[in-house]
Amino acid sequence: INAAVDLTTIGPGNYVLEVYYSMTGSKTSNSGCGDIQYINNAGSNYLSNFSIIGQPAISYSSAPFCRNLTTDQAVTLTNQTGGAFSAPSGLSINSATGAILPSASTAGTYTVTYTAPPLSGCAAATATTSVQVYADLASGNISSSQTICAGLAPAQLTGPVPTGGTGVYTYQWQSSPDGTTWTNVATTQNYSPGVLNATTYYQRISTSGSCGSVTSNTITVTVNPRPTVTSPNTAIVCSGQSPNIN
């Protein structure tokens, strides 16, 4: 008797297939047909040990990666081991372990391929996953230094949208009376200081999630004192003459 066994619905693992026989009849009479007898040959039925090997799968739980990561980022590999990893030029990847070193990689999106060796009669299998390495975060220069008189407000300080990183940015403007000690003043892309009476320095810190923060250039708003004018309380000026003002 030939019987097909469908293994396509069985998950990966190690199995034992036992072949046994059954017949329909009666234990007590020649006319009964309601009993099914299972015959196992006293435990000597045909036994087949076999394994089902699943298709390999790979993933990187910490992806996408920022280039400020200086440690290897491990791969998760399931079902098959002993193969090799590969990726296009620009991605620093260990071909044996699949670990990626972001700081040594070029920004971009890559397809990582794992090729498993032929195993137990199975053909070589492959698995792929997409990995992105973010570009370095760059703040851009803020502008601009200017000179005003005391008691006035400077023109708005502006800065471009940063580049690189995750693409999502937050801002922190800071001011300083000496360019050394800084105080947080605003969290917008651009900043409009209020009235100033002393020279003040400004910078902007841009942050992009796990890709860290970068600080812009420093600009100076130079504040000059207002000129003072003194004159006598009473002055007599003849027509065509100029007054004497100190």
Side-chain angles (χ1 to χ4, degrees), residues 7-242:
L7 302 180
T8 61
T9 59
I10 302 176
N14 299 316
Y15 298 91
V16 177
L17 176 65
E18 179 178 2
V19 178
Y20 64 90
Y21 301 91
S22 67
M23 63 181 182
T24 301
S26 174
K27 296 180 181 179
T28 58
S29 71
N30 294 330
S31 62
C33 297
D35 297 328
I36 298 177
Q37 303 293 320
Y38 294 99
I39 302 172
N40 66 1
N41 290 331
S44 298
N45 278 352
Y46 175 77
L47 301 177
S48 175
N49 295 283
F50 66 95
S51 298
I52 296 178
I53 302 172
Q55 291 294 311
I58 58 174
S59 63
Y60 292 86
S61 61
S62 54
F65 303 119
C66 298
R67 289 196 68 251
N68 59 356
L69 288 172
T70 57
T71 57
D72 287 337
Q73 304 300 301
V75 66
T76 299
L77 169 64
T78 56
N79 293 334
Q80 296 189 36
T81 60
F85 295 85
S86 61
S89 176
L91 185 68
S92 178
I93 186 170
N94 186 306
S95 61
T97 66
I100 292 173
L101 183 58
S103 61
S105 300
T106 302
T109 300
Y110 302 88
T111 297
V112 177
T113 301
Y114 172 74
T115 303
L119 184 63
S120 301
C122 297
T126 61
T128 61
T129 190
S130 180
V131 171
Q132 182 179 5
V133 178
Y134 291 132
D136 291 330
L137 177 63
S139 172
N141 289 332
I142 61 172
S143 60
S144 61
S145 292
Q146 51 194 287
T147 300
I148 62 173
C149 289
L152 298 179
Q156 185 183 55
L157 310 181
T158 61
V161 174
T163 58
T166 66
V168 178
Y169 310 105
T170 59
Y171 307 98
Q172 181 63 70
W173 285 87
Q174 295 181 321
S175 67
S176 171
D178 53 13
T180 301
T181 303
W182 296 93
T183 300
N184 295 335
V185 292
T187 57
T188 51
Q189 178 184 337
N190 303 313
Y191 173 54
S192 297
V195 170
L196 299 178
N197 290 298
T199 295
T200 306
Y201 302 86
Y202 294 94
Q203 64 183 19
R204 189 187 73 173
I205 300 173
S206 300
T207 301
S208 184
S210 59
C211 290
S213 301
V214 289
T215 302
S216 71
N217 59 307
T218 299
I219 62 171
T220 306
V221 177
T222 302
V223 178
N224 291 328
R226 288 181 175 274
T228 58
V229 177
T230 60
S231 65
N233 291 332
T234 301
I236 299 175
V237 179
C238 296
S239 175
Q241 295 181 334
S242 298

